[in-house]
Amino acid sequence: MPDHPTPSTSSAADTAQETPLPKILVVDDTPANLVAMRRLLARSGAEIIEARSGNEALAACLDHEFALILLDVQMPDIDGFEVASLLAEEASTAQTPIIFVTAAFADDMNRLRGYSFGAVDYIAKPINDVILQSKVRVFLDLYRGKRQLRKLVAELDARNQLLEAEIIERKRAEEMVLYRATHDALTDLPNRALFMDRMDHALARADRSRQLVGLLYIDIDGFKPVNDRYGHPAGDRLLQRIAGRMRQAIRRSDTVARLGGDEFAVIVEDVNTAEQIVDLANLICEAVKQPYELEIGGGEQQIVSIGASLGVALFPEHCRGMPDRREALIRAADTAMYTAKKSGKNRVVLAG
């Protein structure tokens, strides 16, 4: 007796088809019955796999997907009922249709017993060729339909995955475009457009919370001589370092933006006193004026020192009665910043 189930194909023309043939497992411990079944199914359009015992049948189900199992009930090692029961317990074979082939179903009670073990139908021995071909054809058609449906579902799933990937990529691209439109390319800080938008939101929140908003206008003292002496690349690196120090000096609730050139601004929210805002301005001023070790080209490092003039304006104090509160606040902070520059630079001035 062979150790493994043996395959038998219907015809060379069938095997040449691009779509794999459906497979039928024929289980019978009598060789003559297997030969007879192979002849009856020769033109079924299916690949026939033969098993001579229940154990061989279970092994075959591990290696193949079957459209149908034609299972003899009376076998010496494991009978057909036990084989069907074991197959029903496995997720991969629970839905495989089983037709019992037996002479044992002489009455309705035995037939019901066969169905209770997972059979979808039965064929009585001796086998009627017409009945066999008819029932096999039905289950092969069902299998082909299920296989086609699985293929369509898989194609649809693949298309959906591609579409989802395209949507994610498009969303990422849109977010990147929006980010670049609202952030400074050199320092990665919010630019003037985003700064204005956040100012409007900050003033609206302050109206509701009755808290202060501080606006700091900052101009870098001594930046132009460094830029002129060491070149624009060195100047750009210095601006990036300045932006980094400002970002570290402020709180998470604040916004630092680059307005252009060597001008920056900070929106200070969630404060109750003017002293808190001025203290933050002094902290930024102190951070900016610390010396910088700057690469000036060719790997050469140079220590440079700059400063910052900061003008501070408060909401609502410096824009009461103004039709455009944002512009009034900006103008007050800008004026205070120029006062800081005229009075010696590298200092903080609160708007009058």
Side-chain angles (χ1 to χ4, degrees):
M1 181 179 294
D3 293 332
H4 301 285
T6 56
S8 173
T9 56
S10 297
S11 68
D14 288 334
T15 58
Q17 294 178 356
E18 292 183 5
T19 303
L21 292 174
K23 298 177 182 179
I24 297 176
L25 176 62
V26 179
V27 187
D28 200 305
D29 62 326
T30 303
N33 290 342
L34 291 175
V35 172
M37 192 69 77
R38 189 187 317 146
R39 290 175 179 172
L40 292 174
L41 298 175
R43 296 185 180 181
S44 65
E47 178 183 353
I48 309 303
I49 305 293
E50 298 173 355
R52 292 166 175 79
S53 68
N55 284 324
E56 280 192 21
L58 294 174
C61 290
L62 295 175
D63 298 330
H64 304 276
E65 178 185 270
F66 292 107
L68 176 64
I69 298 176
L70 296 172
L71 179 59
D72 185 26
V73 172
Q74 296 174 326
M75 292 183 292
D77 55 347
I78 303 177
D79 68 18
F81 293 132
E82 189 173 355
V83 171
S85 179
L86 291 171
L87 292 176
E89 293 175 0
E90 294 294 326
S92 60
T93 54
Q95 301 302 316
T96 303
I98 297 173
I99 296 180
F100 280 139
V101 181
T102 180
F105 291 165
D107 54 50
D108 289 340
M109 290 301 295
N110 279 325
R111 293 177 186 177
L112 290 174
R113 183 175 178 226
Y115 293 137
S116 70
F117 278 92
V120 296
D121 205 344
Y122 79 96
I123 296 177
K125 295 180 179 179
I127 297 172
N128 182 297
D129 184 15
V130 175
I131 293 176
L132 175 67
Q133 295 287 357
S134 176
K135 292 186 176 185
V136 166
R137 188 182 307 113
V138 168
F139 287 104
L140 289 180
D141 288 344
L142 285 173
Y143 178 79
R144 291 187 183 98
K146 289 179 181 179
R147 187 164 64 181
Q148 183 65 21
L149 181 59
R150 286 203 303 265
K151 180 181 177 182
L152 293 174
V153 169
E155 290 175 355
L156 181 60
D157 184 59
R159 291 179 184 178
N160 285 339
Q161 290 180 10
L162 286 174
L163 181 59
E164 288 174 4
E166 290 176 3
I167 291 173
I168 291 172
E169 187 60 33
R170 184 179 302 173
K171 185 177 180 181
R172 186 183 295 116
E174 290 173 352
E175 289 173 349
M176 182 60 68
V177 169
L178 178 60
Y179 186 87
R180 289 304 174 197
T182 56
H183 287 76
D184 176 56
L186 178 64
T187 63
D188 208 35
L189 294 177
N191 60 16
R192 183 180 291 273
L194 183 55
F195 164 75
M196 294 297 184
D197 181 69
R198 291 192 178 177
M199 271 288 295
D200 289 337
H201 283 84
L203 297 181
R205 283 191 292 268
D207 280 334
R208 295 191 297 270
S209 65
R210 302 296 181 184
Q211 287 186 308
L212 298 178
V213 172
L215 177 60
L216 317 182
Y217 249 51
I218 307 166
D219 187 76
I220 304 303
D221 301 321
F223 172 76
K224 188 175 185 302
V226 173
N227 195 58
D228 291 344
R229 181 175 181 180
Y230 299 116
H232 292 297
D236 287 346
R237 285 191 288 272
L238 179 56
L239 287 172
Q240 290 171 337
R241 299 281 299 280
I242 293 169
R245 290 190 184 182
M246 289 185 182
R247 190 184 282 114
Q248 290 179 345
I250 66 172
R251 305 164 307 159
R252 294 186 65 179
S253 58
D254 303 328
T255 296
V256 57
R258 184 188 179 202
L259 304 184
D262 59 353
E263 291 186 356
F264 297 82
V266 177
I267 303 168
V268 185
E269 298 188 70
D270 298 326
V271 289
N272 298 311
T273 66
E275 288 74 17
Q276 291 176 279
I277 299 172
V278 172
D279 287 346
L280 180 61
N282 281 311
L283 183 63
I284 294 172
C285 186
E286 186 66 24
V288 170
K289 77 176 185 179
Q290 298 302 314
Y292 298 81
E293 185 176 358
L294 192 66
E295 182 182 341
I296 59 175
E300 183 180 354
Q301 302 290 322
Q302 180 69 41
I303 303 298
V304 299
S305 295
I306 56 172
S309 295
L310 286 84
V312 180
L314 307 175
F315 173 86
E317 180 178 339
H318 293 119
C319 53
R320 283 194 177 95
M322 301 294 183
D324 191 332
R325 300 182 302 175
R326 184 184 71 184
E327 289 303 317
L329 200 61
I330 291 173
R331 187 163 54 252
D334 189 49
T335 300
M337 182 267 291
Y338 277 106
T339 300
K341 293 186 78 69
K342 292 177 182 177
S343 58
K345 301 182 180 180
N346 195 37
R347 63 190 62 201
V348 175
V349 171
L350 179 62

